[in-house]
C-alpha cells in the first residue's frame, strides 16, 4: 500500500507561509497555506533575484517566512525581505530532516509545514543598530586576535635570529622592548648600549639582557621583522577607526553602559560587548534563565533512562561566552566582591574552568536585570556566601557533635 505524503497532521496557526532553504548561490522556496497550491521554486541569491522572490511571495499573500540560520547566507535575504514579511530564523539543528531522505526541496517543504503549524522557534535577531554594533565589536575582536598572532610571528623571527629578548622581558612589546627593537632594526647595534632603554623595574639581571641581545640578525630577518611591525601597525590603525564607529553607535546607550560598568570585571569594552550581543531591550528573552540557556552559560540537560549524563554547557553564543569568560577572569581577581568569593568557593572543588563559567553566568544574570530595570549593580560583598551558609553549617556540626556526644545540651553550653 502506498504511503501518503505529509501524513503528519498539525493544527494550522499561520495562514500562508514559506519555507526557505538558503545556500550560498541558490534559495529553494516552498509556499503553502490557505487558498493556495503548494509550490516549490528556486531563486539565485543575487539582489535582482531576491526582488523577484519578494514579488512572487507578495503575489500569493505570504506573510511569514522560515529561514535556516546557515552561516551568513541568511543575512542578505533578511535585509531584502525583512521589511515586508515576518521572518522566523531557525537553528538548522532544530529542524534536521531524516538522513537518507534529505533534499533541498524536502527541507523547504518541511520548514513550510512547521511554520504553518507554529512549531518553529525563532532565533534572536536584534534591531539594525545593534546588528551593526555587533559586526563592529566582533570584527574588532578578530583583528585583536590577528595582532596577537602577528606578535607571536615577530617573536618567532626574533628567536630564529637568536635574539632572546622574550626570555628577559615579560612583554616584548612594552615601552622598553619597543625602543630596543626599533634600534635593533635601524642599524648595527651594540647590546651594551641598549641597556639605556631598559626600565628600572625590569627584574632580569643586566648581564642576562646583554647576552639575550647578542644575536645573529641578518638582512632577511630584519626584513621579516619590519614587515610584521608594519602589519601590526596597519591592523591597529583599522581598530582605531572601528573604535570611532563603536563610539558613535553607543552614544545613545551611554547611561546603560555606565550601569553595566558597575559589575566587577566589566569595563567599558565589556559593557559594549554585552550591548552588542544582547541589545538594549530584554523583551526577546522570557527570563534570565532563558538568556543563560541562549548564551550557553548554563549546564545542558542530557537524561536517558532516568540517568543524568554529561551536563556540559551548550554551544550557545560563542562570541558572548568568550567575552563573559574574559570578564569573569577579571572579576575573580577583584577584592572584597561577591564574584571573587564565588570563584574562590568553586575553584577548589570544581576546577578553574567550571568556576570561571559560573562567575560568567553570574555576570550575565546581573547584566540581564541591569538592562531590564535600568539599575546599578548591587554589591552584596564577599561575606555573603559565608553568612548564607552559616546556619546550615551550624546545624551540620551540631548533628556531628550529637553523634559523638549524644547527651550534650547545646543551649546549656551556650549559656
Amino acid at each position: 500500500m502506498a504511503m501518503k505524503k505529509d501524513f503528519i497532521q498539525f493544527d494550522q496557526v499561520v495562514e500562508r507561509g514559506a519555507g526557505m532553504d538558503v545556500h550560498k548561490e541558490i534559495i529553494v522556496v516552498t509556499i503553502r497555506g490557505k487558498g493556495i497550491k503548494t509550490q516549490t521554486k528556486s531563486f539565485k541569491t543575487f539582489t535582482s533575484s531576491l526582488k523577484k522572490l519578494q514579488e512572487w511571495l507578495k503575489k500569493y499573500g505570504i506573510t511569514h517566512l522560515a529561514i535556516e540560520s546557515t552561516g551568513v547566507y541568511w543575512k542578505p535575504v533578511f535585509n531584502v525581505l525583512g521589511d515586508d514579511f515576518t521572518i522566523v530564523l531557525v537553528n538548522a539543528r532544530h529542524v534536521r530532516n531524516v538522513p537518507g531522505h534529505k533534499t533541498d526541496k524536502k527541507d523547504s517543504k518541511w520548514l513550510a509545514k512547521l511554520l504553518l503549524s507554529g512549531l518553529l522557534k525563532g532565533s534572536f535577531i536584534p534591531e539594525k543598530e545593534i546588528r551593526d554594533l555587533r559586526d563592529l565589536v566582533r570584527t574588532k575582536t578578530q583583528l585583536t586576535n590577528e595582532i596577537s598572532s602577528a606578535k607571536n610571528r615577530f617573536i618567532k623571527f626574533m628567536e630564529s635570529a637568536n635574539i632572546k629578548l622574550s626570555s628577559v622581558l615579560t612583554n616584548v612589546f612594552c615601552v622598553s622592548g619597543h625602543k630596543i627593537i626599533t634600534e635593533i632594526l635601524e642599524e648595527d647595534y651594540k647590546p651594551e648600549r641598549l641597556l639605556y632603554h631598559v626600565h628600572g623595574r625590569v627584574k632580569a639581571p643586566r648581564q642576562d639582557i646583554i647576552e639575550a641581545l647578542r644575536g645573529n640578525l641578518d638582512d632577511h630577518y630584519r626584513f621579516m621583522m619590519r614587515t610584521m611591525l608594519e602589519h601590526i601597525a596597519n591592523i591597529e590603525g583599522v581598530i582605531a577607526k572601528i573604535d570611532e564607529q563603536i563610539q558613535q553607535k553607543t552614544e545613545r546607550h551611554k547611561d546603560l553602559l555606565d550601569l553595566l560598568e558597575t559589575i566587577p570585571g566589566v569595563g567599558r569594552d565589556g559593557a559594549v560587548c554585552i550591548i552588542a550581543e544582547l541589545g538594549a531591550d530584554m523583551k526577546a528573552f522570557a527570563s534570565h534563565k532563558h538568556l543563560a540557556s541562549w548564551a550557553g552559560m548554563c549546564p545542558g540537560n542530557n537524561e536517558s533512562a532516568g540517568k543524568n549524563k554529561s551536563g556540559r554547557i551548550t554551544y550557545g553564543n560563542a562570541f558572548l561566552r568568550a567575552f563573559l569568560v574574559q570578564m569573569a577572569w577579571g572579576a575573580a581577581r577583584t577584592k572584597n566582591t561577591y564574584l571573587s568569593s564565588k570563584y574562590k568557593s568553586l575553584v577548589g572543588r570544581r576546577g578553574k574552568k567550571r568556576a570561571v563559567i559560573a562567575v560568567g553566568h553570574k555576570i550575565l544574570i546581573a547584566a540581564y536585570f541591569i538592562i531590564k530595570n535600568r539599575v546599578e549593580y548591587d554589591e552584596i560583598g564577599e561575606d555573603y556566601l559565608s553568612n548564607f551558609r552559616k546556619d546550615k553549617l551550624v546545624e551540620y556540626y551540631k548533628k556531628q557533635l550529637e553523634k559523638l556526644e549524644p547527651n550534650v545540651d547545646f543551649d546549656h553550653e551556650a549559656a
Side-chain angles (χ1 to χ4, degrees):
M1 183 176 67
M3 185 179 293
K4 287 185 178 181
K5 294 183 178 179
D6 294 337
F7 60 91
I8 302 176
Q9 297 297 325
F10 299 116
D11 293 333
Q12 186 165 329
V13 176
V14 178
E15 283 196 359
R16 296 183 179 184
M20 308 178 74
D21 192 20
V22 181
H23 300 277
K24 181 178 180 180
E25 298 178 355
I26 193 172
I27 304 172
V28 181
V29 185
T30 296
I31 61 171
R32 62 185 301 165
K34 185 177 181 181
I36 61 174
K37 182 182 178 181
T38 301
Q39 299 181 49
T40 301
K41 280 191 176 184
S42 297
F43 296 84
K44 292 187 178 295
T45 54
F46 301 128
T47 304
S48 58
S49 299
L50 293 178
K51 293 293 185 180
K52 292 179 181 178
L53 169 60
Q54 184 182 42
E55 294 173 0
W56 183 63
L57 293 173
K58 286 182 176 180
K59 176 183 176 182
Y60 288 95
I62 302 299
T63 58
H64 291 66
L65 307 178
I67 305 176
E68 283 189 10
S69 57
T70 308
V72 297
Y73 302 140
W74 64 271
K75 290 186 177 181
V77 179
F78 182 87
N79 291 335
V80 174
L81 305 179
D83 294 335
D84 299 308
F85 306 95
T86 300
I87 295 181
V88 181
L89 187 64
V90 186
N91 191 321
R93 291 178 294 175
H94 298 165
V95 290
R96 283 178 177 169
N97 224 324
V98 180
H101 297 274
K102 184 184 182 304
T103 65
D104 293 340
K105 289 185 177 181
K106 287 184 177 181
D107 284 348
S108 64
K109 288 180 179 180
W110 181 239
L111 282 172
K113 187 175 184 64
L114 295 178
L115 174 66
L116 295 184
S117 304
L119 296 177
L120 294 180
K121 184 179 180 182
S123 300
F124 169 55
I125 305 177
E127 60 185 4
K128 180 68 164 60
E129 181 188 19
I130 299 299
R131 296 204 304 271
D132 293 344
L133 178 61
R134 179 184 288 183
D135 287 339
L136 290 168
V137 171
R138 290 184 177 184
T139 302
K140 178 183 175 181
T141 302
Q142 292 165 342
L143 290 175
T144 302
N145 293 336
E146 286 185 25
I147 287 180
S148 299
S149 299
K151 287 182 177 179
N152 289 335
R153 287 195 293 272
F154 178 90
I155 292 173
K156 183 186 73 172
F157 291 132
M158 194 163 53
E159 290 285 342
S160 299
N162 207 32
I163 297 176
K164 303 291 184 178
L165 188 59
S166 58
S167 300
V168 293
L169 292 181
T170 305
N171 180 12
V172 173
F173 294 91
C174 64
V175 176
S176 297
H178 184 73
K179 291 179 179 178
I180 291 173
I181 290 170
T182 301
E183 190 162 333
I184 287 175
L185 295 179
E186 284 180 354
E187 55 184 350
D188 292 338
Y189 66 95
K190 293 183 179 179
E192 294 81 2
R193 289 193 311 175
L194 298 182
L195 287 179
Y196 174 78
H197 299 301
V198 179
H199 196 279
R201 293 183 180 179
V202 176
K203 296 181 180 179
R206 295 312 186 250
Q207 187 58 39
D208 287 353
I209 296 176
I210 293 175
E211 293 301 323
L213 294 175
R214 295 187 192 278
N216 185 24
L217 188 63
D218 58 19
D219 291 340
H220 169 70
Y221 287 120
R222 276 197 173 91
F223 170 78
M224 296 304 298
M225 290 165 67
R226 287 194 188 102
T227 302
M228 294 315 304
L229 288 179
E230 290 176 4
H231 180 50
I232 293 170
N234 291 335
I235 298 176
E236 288 175 343
V238 174
I239 290 177
K241 293 179 181 178
I242 291 177
D243 281 333
E244 292 178 2
Q245 288 293 312
I246 291 175
Q247 179 68 28
Q248 295 177 12
K249 296 286 185 182
T250 56
E251 190 64 34
R252 62 188 291 259
H253 301 298
K254 185 177 181 300
D255 293 339
L256 185 54
L257 292 173
D258 292 338
L259 292 175
L260 288 171
E261 280 191 82
T262 60
I263 305 175
V266 180
R268 196 66 172 187
D269 289 343
V272 170
C273 292
I274 290 174
I275 294 296
E277 295 299 327
L278 302 183
D281 188 353
M282 292 293 100
K283 291 180 180 179
F285 303 101
S287 66
H288 63 280
K289 294 179 180 179
H290 177 207
L291 172 61
S293 176
W294 173 82
M297 290 299 292
C298 63
N301 295 320
N302 186 10
E303 182 179 337
S304 179
K307 296 181 180 179
N308 287 320
K309 299 181 180 181
S310 172
R312 61 182 301 169
I313 58 177
T314 54
Y315 180 76
N317 185 322
F319 280 93
L320 179 59
R321 185 168 63 247
F323 293 142
L324 289 171
V325 166
Q326 292 177 15
M327 299 174 208
W329 282 119
R333 288 164 174 75
T334 56
K335 296 182 179 179
N336 305 322
T337 64
Y338 164 73
L339 293 178
S340 64
S341 65
K342 182 68 177 177
Y343 175 81
K344 293 172 185 175
S345 70
L346 292 172
V347 67
R349 54 193 172 88
R350 301 294 289 167
K352 291 183 178 180
K353 291 183 178 180
R354 286 188 174 91
V356 81
I357 287 292
V359 174
H361 175 262
K362 295 293 183 184
I363 292 175
L364 180 62
I365 300 306
Y368 171 84
F369 287 106
I370 287 174
I371 296 173
K372 182 178 180 180
N373 302 324
R374 295 299 196 270
V375 294
E376 288 188 3
Y377 175 78
D378 183 15
E379 177 56 66
I380 54 181
E382 63 177 340
D383 296 329
Y384 175 80
L385 286 176
S386 57
N387 292 335
F388 179 75
R389 298 171 182 152
K390 185 176 180 180
D391 294 339
K392 292 184 178 179
L393 287 172
V394 169
E395 291 299 323
Y396 170 77
Y397 287 122
K398 277 185 178 181
K399 291 179 180 179
Q400 295 300 314
L401 285 172
E402 286 175 353
K403 292 180 180 178
L404 296 173
E405 295 290 340
N407 298 323
V408 175
D409 185 356
F410 292 104
D411 293 335
H412 176 74
E413 292 293 333

